[in-house]
Amino acid sequence: MSAAKPAPNGWIVLDKPRGLGSTQAVGMVKRVLRQGGHAKPKVGHGGTLDPLAEGVLPIALGEATKLAGRMLDASKIYDFTIQFGEETDTLDTEGEVIQRSDRRPPMAAIAAVLEHFTGEIEQIPPKYSALKIDGKRAYDLARAGEEVDMKTRRVTIHSLTMAGEREDPELKSAFQTSAGRPDPYDVAAPLELADAVTLTAHVSKGTYIRSLARDIARALGTVGHVTYLRRVKAGPFHENQAISLDKLEEIAKGAPLEHLLLPLEAGLDDIPALSLDPDSAQAVRQGRVLSDLPHTDGLYFAKLEDTPVALVELIGGTAKVVRGFNLPDVAE
């Protein structure tokens, strides 16, 4: 019997399809690694996606699981479609219709209202959500027919635009507006009423897109619910890095994992690097403090040549370990 391949360390960014839960996705990754002959690694994900949502789901393997918490705190970018005319109890297509309206908003009104939902805003999470109330999940209470009192929370909407007007050039090139649509700010353009609209939102952690859609529809004098939701970016991970389930299954058939695996440091591309010599790397691995560093204060990704060593916090020239990584040197 051949020896197992080494347990991997790094990220698999999955393009999660609609209908698959995040926990199920993690289970699939574990299965294909096992079937591909890899030693069992720790596996976790960097931010839940509802089964009805699709898109970027970063899955951490091995030492990268130490960074999964940072992914939970990272901002996210979503495309989502609001269907006007019906609000459901779940605020998406799974629920029962609880309110109807014949009103359809003009495209110009939609464009104008978006700025009022940008910046710090207050929102009430959906009662069908995983938030805990007195130790129980809100969706369990709602499904049991209990009255669910969701508290208002403050979140940040970094940007909110019509899809196709994305702030990120990489994202914008992947989604173009439909040809021939009138400019909503052109007073000479014919009035265009919308049955639905697709928007792009760059949001802080804790933001509920379903609540955002509900509140936008209400602000437009109608009601609505989400019919499409796709995460196109999670922290540093972008949809053009994501792989399909078919690609994932190739690992089980013996495909080289390194072709699909992103390195641990891919989850740290927003953090400056701090290069260490062998002596200082050894000190950091032992949890010791580094002193008299000329760098500015902040969080750094400390590495020995190409090997991640630790996340360190540098204050006043002194670096303390925030999170160490147990990885062999690349040269070994």
Side-chain angles (χ1 to χ4, degrees):
M1 186 175 178
S2 59
K5 300 170 187 176
N9 297 285
W11 301 89
I12 288 177
V13 182
L14 192 64
D15 192 338
K16 187 190 83 65
R18 188 175 176 132
L20 185 72
S22 299
T23 302
Q24 289 175 290
V26 168
M28 292 184 69
V29 170
K30 290 179 178 179
R31 176 181 58 78
V32 299
L33 289 174
R34 183 176 66 252
Q35 293 178 348
H38 294 273
K40 183 178 179 180
K42 293 180 181 177
V43 183
H45 64 75
T48 299
L49 268 182
D50 290 343
L52 284 180
E54 61 182 62
V56 175
L57 180 65
I59 297 181
L61 307 179
E63 290 296 287
T65 58
K66 295 177 179 179
L67 300 174
R70 294 194 74 250
M71 288 302 107
L72 299 178
D73 291 339
S75 66
K76 315 285 193 305
I77 299 178
Y78 296 90
D79 283 338
F80 64 105
T81 299
I82 309 172
Q83 178 71 47
F84 297 114
E86 294 181 339
E87 183 176 310
T88 66
D89 53 3
T90 60
L91 305 181
D92 57 26
T93 57
E94 278 208 321
E96 299 292 328
V97 175
I98 57 173
Q99 196 172 349
R100 288 185 169 87
S101 172
D102 293 331
R103 298 188 66 177
R104 297 295 181 270
M107 289 297 295
I110 297 171
V113 83
L114 298 185
E115 65 182 87
H116 299 290
F117 289 91
T118 305
E120 282 198 355
I121 66 169
E122 301 277 350
Q123 71 169 200
I124 299 174
K127 63 181 180 179
Y128 285 89
S129 66
L131 289 175
K132 285 190 174 181
I133 299 175
D134 297 328
K136 296 183 179 179
R137 299 289 185 188
Y139 56 66
D140 287 332
L141 296 173
R143 287 168 185 159
E146 296 187 30
E147 191 64 34
V148 182
D149 182 22
M150 305 301 294
K151 303 296 184 184
T152 300
R153 66 195 313 184
R154 183 171 288 272
V155 297
T156 301
I157 312 298
H158 301 292
S159 67
L160 181 61
T161 61
M162 300 284 194
E165 301 171 4
R166 290 168 164 175
E167 60 178 10
D168 185 330
E170 287 183 65
L171 298 175
K172 187 174 182 178
S173 65
F175 195 115
Q176 299 298 324
T177 50
S178 58
R181 170 174 289 174
D183 179 352
Y185 292 103
D186 181 0
V187 295
L191 186 64
E192 181 186 4
L193 299 180
D195 284 321
V197 67
T198 299
L199 305 174
T200 298
H202 180 192
V203 303
S204 69
K205 71 170 183 176
T207 302
Y208 282 91
I209 298 297
R210 288 176 292 154
S211 292
L212 183 61
R214 172 199 62 204
D215 296 343
I216 290 170
R218 290 179 180 179
L220 290 165
T222 183
V223 292
H225 65 280
V226 171
T227 58
Y228 168 80
L229 177 60
R230 177 173 177 81
R231 188 156 69 191
V232 297
K233 197 170 184 182
F237 296 114
H238 185 280
E239 65 181 346
N240 62 17
Q241 297 171 297
I243 64 171
S244 66
L245 290 185
D246 287 343
K247 274 286 184 186
L248 180 68
E249 288 291 346
E250 291 179 6
I251 299 171
K253 301 171 184 175
L257 178 59
E258 57 267 22
H259 293 171
L260 303 176
L261 186 70
L262 297 178
L264 177 147
E265 55 267 32
L268 298 170
D269 74 348
D270 56 340
I271 298 177
L274 176 66
S275 295
L276 304 177
D277 59 34
D279 289 340
S280 57
Q282 181 65 16
V284 168
R285 284 170 173 153
Q286 293 172 351
R288 290 186 286 161
V289 170
L290 300 182
S291 302
D292 301 322
L293 297 175
H295 304 74
T296 56
D297 290 358
L299 195 64
Y300 286 83
F301 162 40
K303 62 179 185 175
L304 175 61
E305 296 182 351
D306 292 328
T307 303
V309 175
L311 273 180
V312 298
E313 183 77 30
L314 202 151
I315 301 175
T318 298
K320 294 182 178 180
V321 175
V322 173
R323 180 73 71 180
F325 305 121
N326 184 24
L327 294 172
D329 291 338
V330 173
E332 291 182 9

